[in-house]
């Protein structure tokens, strides 16, 4: 079951690389995706924008956001998430 979560995290990583608000992504080895923001001061605003769209993530240190894939997240949810990320 975890193998699916890990592959969904990789899909999310690939999608996140397309956005200019993403400066870097820590190596994705599990179901956790940590994004380093190009503008660290926008962290909380980005988290709120995503939350307003039903995309949940948390602050993970200064200028970073953490996403986690899990049992309730499938590839369709990842696609919807990537679409929502375009609104940041």
């Amino acid at each position: 079951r975890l193998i699916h979560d890990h592959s969904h995290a990789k899909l999310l990583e690939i999608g996140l690389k397309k956005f200019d608000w993403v400066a870097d992504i820590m190596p994705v080895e599990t179901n956790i995706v940590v994004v380093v923001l190009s503008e660290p001061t926008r962290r909380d605003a980005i988290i709120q924008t995503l939350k307003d769209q039903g995309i949940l993530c948390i602050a993970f240190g200064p200028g970073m956001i953490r996403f986690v894939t899990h049992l309730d997240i499938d590839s369709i949810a990842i696609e919807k998430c990537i679409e929502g990320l375009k609104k940041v």
Side-chain angles (χ1 to χ4, degrees):
R1 174 64 228 148
L2 276 176
I3 195 160
H4 297 293
D5 296 338
H6 295 181
S7 70
H8 293 145
K10 282 290 193 184
L11 288 173
L12 181 58
E13 174 189 28
I14 291 165
L16 282 162
K17 288 181 178 182
K18 299 174 184 177
F19 301 109
D20 61 356
W21 52 270
V22 174
D24 196 15
I25 301 171
M26 295 177 115
V28 176
E29 298 173 1
T30 63
N31 63 326
I32 298 171
V33 181
V34 177
V35 175
V36 179
L37 302 174
S38 57
E39 296 179 49
T41 57
R42 290 189 57 215
R43 183 194 69 195
D44 294 341
I46 291 171
I47 291 171
Q48 186 60 53
T49 298
L50 295 173
K51 183 178 179 181
D52 292 344
Q53 297 176 73
I55 301 168
L56 302 179
C57 57
I58 63 168
F60 193 74
M64 294 188 285
I65 296 174
R66 184 180 97 164
F67 297 87
V68 179
T69 60
H70 53 78
L71 177 65
D72 298 325
I73 305 295
D74 59 16
S75 57
I76 294 169
I78 295 296
E79 290 174 23
K80 288 180 182 178
C81 177
I82 293 168
E83 281 301 308
L85 294 169
K86 292 178 181 177
K87 297 179 182 174
V88 170

